[in-house]
Amino acid sequence: MPLEPPKPLDPPTVPFALGGMAVFALVGLVLLFFRDWLSANGHSSWLWICVAGVVWGLPGLATMIVHDRHRKARRS
């Protein structure tokens, strides 16, 4: 008797996008306090990486919102 394959997971994805953006924003805010140290040690790009994480998270968030909007149709 063959086993039935498991159903794929379909969790809500918007919280993951918001969580990632929040982490980048929080780390960026912390790094603002160390801006002079970062510049002196050649790590000024770290702050820009956090900015890029938040900015690139916006289209990802929009995609996740559309994906979650269609969850109900996928489940039926």
Side-chain angles (χ1 to χ4, degrees):
M1 181 164 117
L3 295 175
E4 183 179 319
K7 294 180 182 177
L9 295 176
D10 192 18
T13 55
V14 171
F16 292 105
L18 289 174
M21 290 172 61
V23 168
F24 273 113
L26 182 65
V27 171
L29 288 174
V30 169
L31 288 178
L32 278 175
F33 292 108
F34 299 102
R35 196 173 12 181
D36 295 332
W37 183 87
L38 290 170
S39 294
N41 291 299
H43 298 298
S44 58
S45 65
W46 291 6
L47 188 58
W48 290 108
I49 291 170
C50 291
V51 171
V54 173
V55 170
W56 278 104
L58 294 173
L61 177 62
T63 303
M64 301 289 182
I65 289 171
V66 172
H67 183 267
D68 281 355
R69 190 178 305 144
H70 297 297
R71 266 176 86 211
K72 192 174 187 179
R74 279 193 313 272
R75 288 189 169 189
S76 60

